[in-house]
Amino acid sequence: MSSARTKARTRAFQILFEADHRGVGPLTVLADWVARAREPKPDEGTPQVGEYTMELVEGYVQHARRIDELISQYAVGWTLDRMPIADRNVLRLGAYELIWEDRVPDAVVLDEAVEIAKEYSTDDSPAFVNGLLARFLELKPSIRR
């Protein structure tokens, strides 16, 4: 499962994670990543930032306030600031893509978010992420209204 979209999602998650961790806006980190990738001789580990990664980060930023409200409202037993940083950001990305990105099937968004949670967070995270995003899927028509 290493399609271009999967890599784009993972990079978008990493950008949101870094921004959250550093306390800066995601667009700042996105700009840093793009600048590093475009250097004449980028470091070997410098990830390329594709179009879909940019769309995901920019899309999240556009709807960030609403997404964070939804996560806060429906994450039973967790406040946004107490949630593991990886979970918070995989949920932000998944919520944006699930609710506002119509080019990707909902099942794919859920599966990929769970995979990112498996790779980057705790053993409990995949079930938590899946449960919360599934709830957003049920609420999608009312959220988008």
Side-chain angles (χ1 to χ4, degrees):
M1 202 205 308
S2 198
S3 73
R5 287 259 163 119
T6 301
K7 284 185 181 128
R9 268 183 206 95
T10 301
R11 292 203 174 107
F13 161 74
Q14 290 167 332
I15 288 167
L16 294 184
F17 183 98
E18 182 179 330
D20 197 358
H21 185 71
R22 287 175 45 200
V24 299
L27 296 179
T28 301
V29 176
L30 177 61
D32 291 348
W33 279 44
V34 169
R36 280 202 315 262
R38 292 190 178 147
E39 285 173 1
K41 289 187 176 178
D43 294 340
E44 226 171 89
T46 302
Q48 294 300 307
V49 180
E51 192 65 36
Y52 198 62
T53 298
M54 290 189 244
E55 287 177 33
L56 290 173
V57 173
E58 291 165 357
Y60 162 71
V61 169
Q62 185 181 349
H63 298 282
R65 180 175 290 133
R66 182 70 180 118
I67 289 168
D68 284 359
E69 283 171 6
L70 289 167
I71 294 169
S72 297
Q73 185 176 351
Y74 291 102
V76 180
W78 285 98
T79 58
L80 202 58
D81 58 333
R82 281 197 54 246
M83 198 175 285
I85 190 170
D87 293 6
R88 182 168 59 229
N89 288 290
V90 78
L91 285 167
R92 285 170 167 165
L93 187 62
Y96 164 70
E97 199 173 16
L98 189 64
I99 298 165
W100 286 283
E101 181 52 67
D102 293 326
R103 295 174 292 179
V104 182
D106 295 336
V108 172
V109 174
L110 287 170
D111 288 348
E112 298 253 332
V114 168
E115 287 304 313
I116 291 171
K118 279 181 189 170
E119 187 168 341
Y120 292 96
S121 200
T122 69
D123 290 345
D124 297 330
S125 297
F128 174 66
V129 165
N130 189 58
L132 197 50
L133 291 179
R135 182 78 175 112
F136 294 165
L137 181 57
E138 291 170 19
L139 299 165
K140 184 176 175 172
S142 63
I143 292 169
R144 284 181 57 161
R145 237 184 266 125

